[in-house]
Amino acid sequence: MKLWEIFRYDVTTQLRRYSTLIYGAGLVAATLLAASTFFDDVVRDGILLNAPMVTTACMIIVTVVGVLVTAALAGEAATRDIEARMEPLLYTTPLARATYLGGRFLSAFGVNALLLAIVPVTLAVWTFIPIGQAASFGPFRLWPYVRAYLVLALPNAFFATALLFSLVVLTRRAMIGYLGAAVLFFNSAVQEGIVASVLGKWELAKHLDLFGFIVGVAQWRSRTPIQRNTLPLEFEGALLTNRLLWLSISIAALLFVYLRFHMAHHAPTAGRQWWRRAGKAPVEAESRPWTVTLTPSRVRGTFDRTTRMRQAFAIALGSFREMITSRAALIIPATAWLVYDVVPDLLEFGLGTPGRPNTGRLVLLYGKFNVSGITVGALVAFFAGQLIWRERDAREHDIRDATPLPDAVSLLGKFGALVLLLVTMQAALIATGIVTQLGSGYYDFEPMLWLRVLLGMKMVDYLLFAALAIGVQVVVNQKYVATTIVMLAWVLPQFAGGLGLEHNLLIYGADPGVTYSEISGFGASLGPWLWFKLYWAGWALLFALLARLFWVRGHDARTFALARQRFTRMPAAIAAAALALIVLAGGFVFYNTNVLNEYLTEAESTSRSAEYERHYGRYADLAQPLVTATKLHVELHPARLSADIRGTYQLENRSGRAIDTIHLVTRRTVPATGVTFDRPSRTTLVDRDLGYSIYTLGTPLAPGQSLRMDFEVRLASRGFTNAGISAAIAENGTLLEHRPGSGGRTWLPEVGYRRGVELDNPGERRLYGLPRRPALPSLQDAAARNEGRGLERIDLDTVIGTDADQIAIAPGALRRSWSERGRRYFHYVTDTPIRNGFPILSARYAVYRSRWKTVDIEVVYHPKHAWNVERIARAARASLDDYSRHFGPYPQRQLRLVEFPITGGNRLTGHPGTVIWSEVLAYADPAADPRQIDFPFAVIAHEVAHQWWGNQVVPARVEGAPLVSESLAWYSAMNVVQENLGREHLRRVMQVMRDAYLAPHQTPELPLLRATDWLAAYRTGALAMLSLREAVGTDRINAALRNFVVEYRSGQPPFPTSLDLYRHLRAVTPPDTQPLLNDLFAEITFWDLRMKSAKVVPTGAAYRVTLHIAAYKLKVGTAGRETRVPMNDRIELTLLAAPKAGESRGPVLYRQTHRLHSGPQTLTVTVPRLPASAAIDADSKLLDRNREDNLKEIAQR
Amino acid sequence: MPCVLADVPNLRIQNLTKTYPNGVRALRNVSLTIEQGMFGLLGPNGAGKSTLMRILATLQDPDEGQIHLGDLDVVRQKDEVRKTLGYLPQDFGFYRDATAERLLEHFAILEGITNRATRRGVVEALLRQTNLWEVRKQKLGGYSGGMRQRFGIAVALLGDPTLLIVDEPTAGLDPAERVRFLNLLSELGENSIVILSTHIVEDVSELCTRMAIINKGEILLEAEPLRAVDELRGRIWQRIVAKEELPAIEREHALISTRLLGGRRVVRVDSDTKPASGFEAAEPNLEDVYFCVMSGRVAVAA
């Protein structure tokens, strides 16, 4: 009854508060924001906004953000009596401890639960008043809302309330609740962003995250759009155990609080600092005689500028000391530890290959990294509240306010304290980073870089936020409400895009980003960054000024009149400076982003693509000549970040019809100028906005005839854009890639209308009213198979002029290199025609030369990055050797492997004769890999394989194309790994490559022959090739591939598709393996293989092993329906002996394939030694969704 | 009169009025002139004492009226006033984790005493004088009420204030501490204006050279305590009564106070002549003045 009374009283008072109203409004906004993150899916995948999964996802997201509200409610409930200093009254009533705590807890939880009901209500109301996204709601059904609320919102509210309430009751400080909330929030982010996505430990992350957020993400990712629209969030497996785990943790926390809490006076402990357990008990000096007479010292203060400065310092240092010795400051070492723990994983090159911790990379990780970012947000929000409320919380404010301390000095001192705290945080991170470097024996610390980024650039961001935090605390003048607002202000910019705020002038503190590479340094990215920051510094000054004008001193309510009165000379000067910064820096930025450059929102640029198709799509099938030779003269000016290019195309009419107009597609910002032909012509159309121009030839180009076209292109940034300055041309480390038809537009004009620039996504096409078409043409599309634009072969002749100390690279043989007018020139000519796609690079490179037969191998690298150069050359040699033996000759006489700055992306690309690799590969340190995998070797082998798959055999741009390029490249690389590093090494590599399946992924909807997704291209396809190789034999497969190359290496249409590959594979596959070929490529097949039990009996000198196996085969049909099909496949059976000490895997005792049929079956095998484990398909050559149950330890009978 | 050691300006309060947003009229047309020495502000809870004190301490602005400390306009020249101001509020605390020495040093800096050696000297002197030197390394969170009060006065004394405002400082002190505290205050009165607000009559009668009684925001009496007591001489009568007699006495006489003395009820009445029924003449005290003023029986006298 008493419990009910407390509950009823608390809930009704809380509901009457205006803060509750604010929280409610905040939750409505959060709900709409959460839903807005799905707008993209609505457009692209036709997701319904009231699909059960969307409802659930919104619920989860809102509870994650709403944990701030939980903190406020739980903190309030737990400290209300203490703050009102009412606890002596309450504690002396005959109220049971359980009733008191229970009532307070339940009321906080109750209000929270009520508030969270806003989420489903908002979402439900939205379906009836569908503003904005009218088409995207399905019929209304009540149950999904109720279910999502019961399964996610309510438990989440319970867990969060229980934990935060416990925390606050134990510490007696409501603000600690906010810190706890930040930790929970941050935990979810870390689990999602790092533990799951980067480390791949999804199961762990699903459980460690309190909100079920990771479970949601995983289920979302593993579903196809149709499933997302129809199926609810599965309440089983990880979600169930997650709920149970956190339920028990919550209850344990509440029990602990119940046991620890006493309704008694809280005796002050002498030592509160976390690093000191207890101080001396105070000595009562009262009883001593008090005889000293008062002779006031006649010392008076001096009040000048120096005094004010010293006062500010004293306040800053004093407050800093208080903050850093408080328990909350533990967040700093905790963050440092977390960063220390996680960063090595983020440094990885790929597939977990350790990376060298070079400062540039660490610094960027530390700078961007969410861990420190979120922590800083929490830290600043929390301590800004503590600082501004410090005196009032201690009831010291009246005494303070009567001292002759100017408000501005107080403000400055407190801001200074925050600065000191942030400096400490950053110093801790720097120390952590240096320890990380020391730990891996890396001694090139580059302290100035550490300081510049962590104490310079990052600090600027944090200071901007600190100014905002202090401004909000002062102006709002409600500690907890303000803290909530400040924390939201830290989180909300992430949703800015969803709200249509894309311009960095509209998102507080935003900038175009800073890029860094060891090769290029910061490049041109600092300038734009600085201008944006100057602009935001103006706003920060305004926040500081607001804090100054509305600073609370004394007891009177603050009024605008008072603020006006305080607006004296100094504040006015600051206001003028702030406005000047905003107007001048903002104006300059705007001039750059919107006047010098055209500013397009994302929607606007999408709509441009639609416009392009609407206007010029009618020319899609117009006959156009193909490029047969390209001649370029590139004058690169690295220091000026510009390039002047004179180009000549040789165009040939292969269409069989006379061509009278030439159509050019260019990038909007890089128009082709001075376009002339070797015959009279006139310009018919130049559409700069859509990058399309048409030239009419005086005399049409007859079939078989050639035409010369000259043009000029100037690459230079005019000022900077909202995204900064392109890093493509850098003072050191220029990378210009011409990739015609690859989707985006390239910097050289392309001849003929490009389908690749059209919008591909069916949803987006619908949105912009474009006709329906598949994202990629189907395998049967004969026209697409003959489409040669962008796939043509060209002779490339390039002259590049660059700075005297740089080496410029283009494909082909280096004919000549000379110096002229203080510049250096390089002339490259290709030996044989190459696919029309190539890079041009220039930097102060070093070159490592090697040779394979007649091919010159050059590894071109940044002189500091010599670590893997020899390995790269070795992999290239081994690959050339292997592929030319098996698939046919390598067509060029040189193979260059050129490093480029990370600003160009963390990737490798195999252009004809020129493999480019990002500097991240240089940092890879496979020798330090405990798994003994040389992944860089494999990756180089993969890129060299593209010299055959992709550059010689160029797949038609239709479905299934990645099978021909990527899957075959991986398959080839695996052969090289096996030949050069051994079969066991390949097994280890494959083991790691299969980890991709552990991340949530959609069930394939298309068989390999038609698939285009990453997993199919880079994993499933390669694995299927490997399985087939095991069944058919390496030689036969290689013969098939050789025939495939021979058929298509001319590079003339029709271009090959996956069906042509399949044809060649089928030709070499024996009849009894044909079903497997079909299973692997033509259908979507899963195997479910289980080793149920394995028992061993000694028989004389040998051992007889009895294996109980269950085997099933499943096919995925249309609409994702799975059905079991009869199985009759050869599956490998392996018996292993116990591993020797220090090894993870014992020697193989038995490896044979057995024909297995559907269902349970028993096999008996005799081996000479005692086996320790038995495995079915141990190397997972077949797709089996549960690999765990394939292996069984052998029980001794 | 004690000899004037310093040229202490006087504090002139003219027509001060303050109304709170909730309609409470905390001060109505208050005018006072306060000279160097101890000035007692006496009044019941809620009389407006603290409001007046806060206004004098620059923490609130009056709606109307002026205050001058010498040449300084207290309302407009707050920063200047604060340089010569010491304030001990009625309700205050200190950051619990700070030690007395460190916090006092900190306040010394805020008071503009930036020279390190000087500051050290001032801090030590004040801690010794308030008898906190021995416990200077302890955290304020562990201080008793009296220690905290003394620490408060030490803070208030920083910077040699000419105007010291102490708001109900003796509440919560034990008798011995109260005496010592008042002694300390009286010594301060020798050099500056000390305004002491209290609802304990003894505080004023023992210390103050001048006093004012305030109720419902109005000054009812401004006087020298001794003179005010003198004026009642011959008018105060007391007797021991039984509980049942009280209503009758209240009806028939101008009752000043009723109190228990050793378990017996003693009533004091105000009368020009000796009332009948067993009353005997009593020596007037400040409490009589207070009650008379509060009950409106004595007109404002200066």
Side-chain angles (χ1 to χ4, degrees), chain B residues 43-240:
Chain B
N45 289 327
K49 296 193 299 291
S50 286
T51 301
L52 179 57
M53 301 297 253
R54 278 199 295 264
I55 290 175
L56 296 181
T58 72
L59 299 183
Q60 270 183 307
D61 283 347
D63 297 336
E64 284 166 39
Q66 283 130 29
I67 313 166
H68 286 93
L69 178 64
D71 301 332
L72 294 178
D73 182 332
V74 173
V75 178
R76 286 194 183 73
Q77 293 170 281
K78 290 198 179 74
D79 287 338
E80 288 305 308
V81 174
R82 283 167 185 158
K83 289 176 187 169
T84 58
L85 174 70
Y87 177 50
L88 187 67
Q90 179 184 5
D91 178 36
F92 68 94
F94 288 108
Y95 189 74
R96 302 175 63 91
D97 288 348
T99 66
E101 190 177 34
R102 177 168 294 157
L103 192 60
L104 194 57
E105 279 227 25
H106 186 66
F107 271 109
I109 297 172
L110 303 191
E111 291 285 351
I113 307 168
T114 48
N115 180 288
R116 193 180 163 86
T118 320
R119 190 168 70 235
R120 280 279 160 92
V122 170
V123 165
E124 179 173 350
L126 280 171
L127 286 174
R128 283 190 188 282
Q129 285 163 2
T130 49
N131 206 21
L132 293 171
W133 182 247
E134 301 294 316
V135 290
R136 67 187 182 281
K137 300 280 186 205
Q138 286 173 18
K139 292 192 170 170
L140 289 158
Y143 271 25
S144 71
M147 291 158 87
R148 205 187 54 203
Q149 208 77 8
R150 274 184 277 147
F151 183 73
I153 208 72
V155 173
L157 289 181
L158 281 168
D160 188 25
T162 47
L163 174 61
L164 189 65
I165 296 164
V166 283
D167 197 356
E168 306 217 5
T170 54
L173 294 186
D174 66 36
E177 241 183 11
R178 181 176 152 262
V179 170
R180 288 194 288 254
F181 195 83
L182 294 178
N183 286 342
L184 192 119
L185 285 182
S186 73
E187 285 180 64
L188 293 170
E190 292 168 15
N191 304 310
S192 48
I193 305 171
V194 179
I195 305 175
L196 166 79
S197 93
T198 181
H199 57 266
I200 301 167
V201 180
E202 282 86 355
D203 288 353
V204 176
S205 58
E206 287 161 19
L207 287 172
C208 297
T209 44
R210 286 191 67 80
M211 63 169 284
I213 293 175
I214 183 170
N215 191 25
K216 292 181 184 162
E218 281 177 304
I219 300 289
L220 302 182
L221 174 78
E222 189 188 353
E224 287 171 24
L226 292 178
R227 290 248 310 265
V229 171
D230 265 351
E231 284 190 11
L232 287 186
R233 200 165 297 282
R235 294 180 51 167
I236 304 299
W237 313 85
Q238 70 173 22
R239 88 171 253 221
I240 293 161

Side-chain angles (χ1 to χ4, degrees), chain A residues 101-263:
Chain A
L101 282 177
R104 288 275 183 271
F105 167 71
L106 286 178
S107 61
F109 169 58
V111 174
N112 201 356
L114 269 178
L115 279 173
L116 282 177
I118 287 175
V119 183
V121 170
T122 308
L123 290 172
V125 168
W126 200 3
T127 59
F128 291 111
I129 316 164
I131 304 161
Q133 300 280 333
S136 52
F137 289 100
F140 175 79
R141 283 186 305 134
L142 182 65
W143 177 237
Y145 297 98
V146 178
R147 187 176 181 279
Y149 180 74
L150 292 180
V151 172
L152 286 150
L154 211 54
N156 285 354
F158 183 82
F159 305 155
T161 312
L163 294 179
L164 299 179
F165 180 80
S166 307
L167 201 60
V168 176
V169 169
L170 290 177
T171 56
R172 299 168 60 89
R173 289 179 183 200
M175 281 300 269
I176 297 288
Y178 280 90
L179 221 49
V183 168
L184 289 180
F185 178 86
F186 158 63
N187 175 48
S188 283
V190 169
Q191 298 301 341
E192 203 272 328
I194 295 165
V195 178
S197 296
V198 178
L199 306 186
K201 294 180 180 140
W202 281 88
E203 286 308 310
L204 182 71
K206 281 176 188 172
H207 288 97
L208 289 184
D209 152 48
L210 176 145
F211 300 99
F213 180 60
I214 316 296
V215 179
V217 170
Q219 290 202 19
W220 179 266
R221 287 206 201 159
S222 58
R223 286 185 175 173
T224 60
I226 296 172
Q227 291 171 325
R228 285 173 189 167
N229 258 347
T230 48
L231 299 177
L233 191 77
E234 216 81 53
F235 185 54
E236 45 94 56
L239 184 57
L240 194 65
T241 43
N242 169 293
R243 306 280 90 174
L244 288 176
L245 174 72
W246 285 98
L247 183 67
S248 34
I249 292 176
S250 306
I251 289 175
L254 289 175
L255 269 179
F256 181 73
V257 165
Y258 170 71
L259 294 175
R260 280 292 301 270
F261 181 77
H262 294 289
M263 296 176 72

Side-chain angles (χ1 to χ4, degrees), chain A residues 290-329:
Chain A
W290 191 18
T291 49
V292 190
T293 49
L294 200 74
T295 44
S297 57
R298 313 294 319 200
V299 177
R300 289 210 158 170
T302 44
F303 300 95
D304 52 14
R305 189 182 296 267
T306 326
T307 303
R308 289 198 293 275
M309 241 165 61
R310 292 211 178 135
Q311 287 172 332
F313 267 114
I315 292 171
L317 279 173
S319 309
F320 171 66
R321 195 205 305 267
E322 283 165 20
M323 291 192 289
I324 203 74
T325 53
S326 69
R327 285 197 198 93

Side-chain angles (χ1 to χ4, degrees), chain A residues 683-717:
Chain A
T683 310
T684 312
L685 172 104
V686 175
D687 184 341
R688 287 229 160 175
D689 284 346
L690 300 179
Y692 204 92
S693 40
I694 302 175
Y695 303 88
T696 307
L697 299 174
T699 44
L701 187 65
Q705 249 190 352
S706 276
L707 172 73
R708 205 183 105 128
M709 173 185 134
D710 294 308
F711 59 90
E712 280 169 24
V713 164
R714 181 172 158 73
L715 296 173
S717 51

